[in-house]
Amino acid sequence: MSTKFEKVTAIRGMNDILPGESWQWERLESILRTWLAQYGYLNMRTPILEQTRLFARGIGEVTDIVEKEMYTFRMSEDAEQLTMRPEFTAGVVRAAIEHNITYDRPQRVYSMGQVFRHERPQKGRYRQFHQVSIEALGFAGPDIDAEQIIMLSRLWKLLGLKDIHLELNSLGQVEERKAHREALIKHLEAHIDVLDEDGKRRMYTNPLRVLDTKNPAMQEMANNAPKLFDFLGEESKAHFQEICTRLEQAGIPYTINPRLVRGLDYYNLTVFEWVTGSLGAQATVCGGGRYDGLFTLLGGKPTPAVGFAIGLERLLALMEQAESVSAPSEADIYVIHQGDEAARRAVQIAELCRDQGWRVIVHAGSASFKSQFKRADISGAQVALILGEAEVKEGTISLKPLRLADNGMMLEQVTVSQDAVVAELQKRI
Ligand code: ATP
Ligand code: MG
């Protein structure tokens, strides 16, 4: 007796993207690639698995990601620890150093694909999700920071998004942060009674992160904390000012948010987020900033860099609210046939049509005309080609329009010789 096999389901927080929705992904990816090419960004593909050390170092030990969100394992007891990438930047910088891709000039690169974080799944927050991650490697000036923000503003326009807003801050440089840090720790010590577990644990290791809290009880303490901005030197302020000037020239509104520190440790100077009011609690669609110290942190030569990542699930959710685009058809032509001879001839004619670049579905298997027409209609094809026994005998083929023409008229069904089918289709597709 065989035991019943218990059905296997997908892992919680990891979504299947089904044929009915994948067209939205492909459409978005194609818009993104065209947009990235417009700004000179080239694609870069790094492995999904990296050594755990890379992320621990590159993202920072005292971060949500490294402390509790990484998928980490070893293949055997004495093997190195591996981690499924929770973001792209660390891997891209690792590869940039390894292949020395910035040795003769700076590089604009992007990556797109899955990332993994073990978080509590909810709307807009998954355990496998997708990012497009953009990095400008080897650029020091504020011009490139501003260019990336202007570039994002163009993307929102391309996608028809309106409810999306820029928040901006500067984290200054290491020494400036040090002075601020001392003042901040004093402030946290004075308010230790309102700090939660995480806050108390991080107040000496990463006090800036304590302000990046979602705990309502800590908001007032965070709002009254010493502002990093007041500790910035002339150069840092000038960098930030130049970005603001360029954004104003480009007509891009922004809010300076002194509390914006971002979850990742490696940022300096510019940090920014694009947030929306349309997605509930999961409001951040894009986050980025400058990370001039990351190359040296990972053992490379000093290389200034700036970048950002967009969460594609959140972006698609926002697009779905903003626009109503219907699914594209599956084919231009659907070939219907009856009888063995017709079935074989149908394949030959379909190949001739594909030579013209058309998308063609040949009905698979045999079925009544009625049910084949039903399938043809569902496919969204403009024209059904019909090969019945009569057509095969006479060397003809029938064309039945399935959709209205551009002028709103329904064309007539015609029967032509099989040699003339391509010419006849050219008039209709
Ligand atoms: P959050 O504060 O929402 O956790 P984050 O600061 O951890 O975001 P980043 O590391 O900056 O996010 O990642 C960039 C973008 O990736 C986010 O702005 C968001 O759009 C998306 N993102 C982050 N985590 C998830 C997730 N678990 N599921 C879906 N999208 C996510
Ligand atoms: Mg997070």
Side-chain angles (χ1 to χ4, degrees):
M1 212 178 74
S2 69
T3 47
K4 192 163 175 268
F5 181 67
E6 202 177 317
K7 254 190 266 168
V8 180
T9 56
I11 297 168
R12 200 163 107 80
M14 305 207 177
N15 301 319
D16 297 311
I17 298 168
L18 302 175
E21 52 189 343
S22 60
W23 64 272
Q24 290 169 307
W25 284 84
E26 292 188 322
R27 177 169 161 267
L28 173 59
E29 285 158 7
S30 141
I31 294 170
L32 288 171
R33 289 187 205 283
T34 309
W35 163 72
L36 287 158
Q38 279 198 287
Y39 286 87
Y41 280 81
L42 304 181
N43 187 219
M44 179 150 164
R45 301 176 188 223
T46 57
I48 287 179
L49 272 183
E50 296 273 2
Q51 296 190 38
T52 306
R53 298 191 299 123
L54 172 68
F55 302 117
R57 189 75 191 262
I59 297 174
E61 298 274 5
V62 194
T63 55
D64 283 347
I65 294 179
V66 174
E67 278 183 346
K68 54 192 182 201
E69 296 175 359
M70 297 204 302
Y71 282 86
T72 295
F73 60 90
R74 289 179 206 273
M75 291 301 288
S76 65
E77 234 166 79
D78 53 353
E80 64 209 339
Q81 239 182 25
L82 307 178
T83 293
M84 313 270 284
R85 65 183 177 210
E87 51 106 51
F88 281 99
T89 307
V92 167
V93 170
R94 193 261 317 134
I97 294 169
E98 197 167 328
H99 305 283
N100 200 12
I101 67 170
T102 53
Y103 80 99
D104 62 344
R105 64 187 177 103
Q107 295 273 357
R108 289 175 170 87
V109 299
Y110 78 91
S111 306
M112 189 152 34
Q114 291 95 328
V115 293
F116 303 84
R117 296 185 192 178
H118 193 265
E119 306 190 67
R120 192 170 70 77
Q122 52 196 291
K123 192 164 174 291
R125 192 174 293 284
Y126 309 103
R127 290 181 171 175
Q128 175 185 267
F129 63 101
H130 297 74
Q131 287 187 340
V132 59
S133 185
I134 283 88
E135 334 280 346
L137 309 176
F139 296 87
D143 52 343
I144 192 85
D145 309 37
E147 184 184 271
Q148 288 191 344
I149 295 171
I150 291 168
M151 175 177 177
L152 281 160
S153 159
R154 174 181 293 275
L155 178 64
W156 314 141
K157 279 200 199 94
L158 282 170
L159 299 175
L161 305 183
K162 297 214 169 66
D163 183 12
I164 187 158
H165 181 83
L166 174 63
E167 298 201 348
L168 197 60
N169 191 21
S170 176
L171 299 181
Q173 303 292 12
V174 178
E175 320 78 60
E176 296 157 0
R177 279 217 293 277
K178 222 186 243 164
H180 170 251
R181 187 191 146 99
E182 279 159 25
L184 185 54
I185 290 176
K186 281 211 184 92
H187 177 80
L188 294 172
E189 284 171 341
H191 295 85
I192 192 133
D193 46 316
V194 301
L195 299 191
D196 58 16
E197 277 300 278
D198 272 349
K200 281 186 191 131
R201 192 162 39 79
R202 286 171 173 169
M203 65 183 286
Y204 295 108
T205 47
N206 196 345
L208 206 54
R209 277 284 286 130
V210 180
L211 304 184
D212 188 21
T213 175
K214 287 173 178 116
N215 184 348
M218 288 165 63
Q219 295 305 316
E220 200 189 315
M221 176 283 302
N223 285 332
N224 297 329
K227 304 273 181 290
L228 174 55
F229 207 80
D230 298 329
F231 291 76
L232 297 194
E234 285 314 309
E235 257 185 66
S236 296
K237 279 190 175 145
H239 188 101
F240 189 66
Q241 191 49 55
E242 180 62 23
I243 296 170
C244 294
T245 305
R246 285 177 185 237
L247 295 185
E248 276 148 33
Q249 272 176 1
I252 298 172
Y254 59 89
T255 307
I256 296 177
N257 177 358
R259 299 262 318 274
L260 181 63
V261 296
R262 310 257 319 116
L264 314 181
D265 262 359
Y266 52 58
Y267 288 101
N268 69 313
L269 292 172
T270 322
V271 284
F272 61 86
E273 281 187 356
W274 290 87
V275 290
T276 174
S278 309
L279 293 182
Q282 270 45 261
T284 309
V285 176
C286 168
R290 186 161 273 287
Y291 47 93
D292 294 339
L294 188 57
F295 273 72
T296 43
L297 196 65
L298 295 178
K301 297 189 200 98
T303 309
V306 54
F308 58 84
I310 305 175
L312 297 191
E313 279 78 2
R314 293 186 194 174
L315 185 56
L316 279 165
L318 204 53
M319 286 165 66
E320 224 166 291
Q321 287 181 14
E323 47 164 26
S324 57
V325 185
S326 49
S329 61
E330 291 163 19
D332 303 310
I333 300 166
Y334 197 99
V335 189
I336 288 169
H337 49 83
Q338 197 93 90
D340 292 345
E341 192 54 36
R344 286 184 213 108
R345 189 74 192 117
V347 173
Q348 293 175 312
I349 290 175
E351 287 300 321
L352 285 178
C353 294
R354 293 188 185 112
D355 288 342
Q356 302 297 311
W358 292 319
R359 299 168 304 149
V360 187
I361 295 176
V362 179
H363 189 87
S366 54
S368 69
F369 273 129
K370 189 169 166 226
S371 74
Q372 292 193 54
F373 270 117
K374 218 178 199 169
R375 289 283 187 88
D377 203 46
I378 293 169
S379 79
Q382 291 178 53
V383 180
L385 291 181
I386 306 150
L387 274 166
E389 274 160 13
E391 278 92 351
V392 169
K393 210 180 286 163
E394 286 153 25
T396 59
I397 188 164
S398 298
L399 289 78
K400 182 177 161 62
L402 299 172
R403 300 274 173 282
L404 297 178
D406 287 343
N407 60 11
M409 301 284 285
M410 191 59 137
L411 297 169
E412 306 241 309
Q413 175 167 338
V414 294
T415 300
V416 298
S417 99
Q418 287 176 10
D419 300 334
V421 67
V422 166
E424 191 59 35
L425 282 165
Q426 273 162 348
K427 293 185 213 158
R428 291 157 185 266
I429 296 176

